[in-house]
Amino acid sequence: MAHRTGERVIHSYDVGRRQVLCGCPEQTSSTKHAAGVTCLTCRELLDRAPGADRKVGSPS
């Protein structure tokens, strides 16, 4: 799913690697807070990360 033209994409910032999580090389907007991330690739990577918060009652 592509973002609409002009829509601001916010990436997840990986403080350990000092770059955005998805590896986007362009200068971008980013945040350390998962709730503010709008980049679809970053959100998928966050969901797969070890220790990611899971919904209560969902299988591990």
Side-chain angles (χ1 to χ4, degrees):
M1 179 159 103
H3 291 284
R4 291 173 283 178
T5 303
E7 184 176 329
R8 187 172 177 192
V9 178
I10 309 295
H11 295 274
S12 176
Y13 186 75
D14 183 337
V15 294
R17 295 186 315 168
R18 300 178 118 180
Q19 67 183 37
V20 295
L21 189 58
C22 70
C24 181
E26 302 169 10
Q27 184 174 357
T28 62
S29 296
S30 62
T31 181
K32 297 184 292 182
H33 306 287
V37 175
T38 61
C39 169
L40 296 176
T41 304
C42 286
R43 290 181 63 85
E44 288 178 11
L45 291 169
L46 285 169
D47 288 343
R48 294 181 196 160
D53 291 336
R54 305 285 184 231
K55 290 182 181 177
V56 176
S58 65
S60 298

